């Protein structure tokens, strides 16, 4: 039971960190687009918008990330178990690919971009890096020391 508690805590922290990073990246991405039209976006406006988005995307984005990570981490665990290789790399690859794939699937099935930053290749790459960070944290926190 202690092991499952550690896994659940690590998963929750991975989802929370990816949510935090994805919210920040998404907000700054949108504000950069606004600034590209010549409008001035102050640091206080950036901070306020970022805090608003971090709070405003709850519970939708964490639920989406959690569902995505649940599938991706299961694939990573199975890949590591049956194909071997570096466990951390499996999870990092799963995290890196999971969020962009989810955004692309939502866009292709619903016809709408679920997250403004997901509308461009650069945005998808930044979102992928947020997934990578969360997955890397999960892999690190759930690492079993070999005896």
């Amino acid at each position: 039971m202690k092991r499952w508690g550690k896994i659940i805590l690590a998963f929750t922290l991975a989802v929370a960190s990816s949510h935090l990073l994805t919210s920040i990246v998404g907000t700054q991405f949108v504000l950069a687009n606004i600034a590209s039209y010549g409008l001035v976006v102050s640091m206080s406006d950036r901070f306020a918008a970022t805090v608003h988005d971090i709070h405003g995307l709850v519970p939708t984005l964490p639920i989406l990330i959690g569902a995505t990570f649940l599938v991706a981490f299961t694939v990573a665990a199975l890949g590591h178990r049956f194909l071997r290789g570096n466990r951390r790399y499996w999870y990092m690859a799963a995290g890196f690919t999971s969020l962009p794939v989810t955004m692309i699937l939502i866009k292709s099935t619903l016809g709408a971009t679920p997250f403004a930053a997901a509308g461009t290749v650069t945005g998808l790459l930044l979102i992928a890096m947020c997934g990578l960070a969360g997955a890397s944290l999960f892999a690190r926190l759930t690492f079993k020391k070999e005896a």
Side-chain angles (χ1 to χ4, degrees), residues 92-144:
M92 289 170 65
F96 184 80
T97 57
S98 62
L99 295 179
V101 167
T102 301
M103 299 293 173
I104 291 167
L105 285 173
I106 290 172
K107 184 176 182 175
S108 64
T109 57
L110 300 178
T113 304
F115 199 66
T120 66
V121 174
T122 304
L124 283 174
L125 182 60
L126 291 171
I127 290 169
M129 296 302 287
C130 297
L132 174 75
S136 181
L137 178 64
F138 178 81
R140 187 182 239 342
L141 293 175
T142 58
F143 178 73
K144 291 186 286 185

Side-chain angles (χ1 to χ4, degrees), residues 71-83 87 90-91 94 138:
V71 172
F73 291 176
T74 301
V75 170
L78 292 171
H80 174 64
R81 182 176 187 180
F82 293 112
L83 300 175
R87 179 182 173 280
W90 276 102
Y91 281 97
F138 178 81

Side-chain angles (χ1 to χ4, degrees), residues 12-93:
T12 303
L13 290 173
V15 170
S17 64
S18 289
H19 162 68
L20 183 68
L21 292 170
T22 304
S23 297
I24 292 168
V25 164
T27 302
Q28 297 310 311
F29 196 84
V30 168
L31 294 176
N33 284 338
I34 290 171
S36 74
Y37 291 110
L39 298 171
V40 177
V41 182
S42 69
M43 285 305 289
S44 62
D45 288 340
R46 287 182 180 277
F47 182 75
T50 301
V51 170
H52 179 267
D53 284 353
I54 289 169
H55 181 263
L57 289 170
V58 173
T60 307
L61 187 58
I63 289 172
L64 182 67
I65 292 171
T68 299
F69 277 1
L70 192 60
V71 172
F73 291 176
T74 301
V75 170
L78 292 171
H80 174 64
R81 182 176 187 180
F82 293 112
L83 300 175
R84 301 283 178 225
N86 186 308
R87 179 182 173 280
R88 190 166 187 194
Y89 291 165
W90 276 102
Y91 281 97
M92 289 170 65

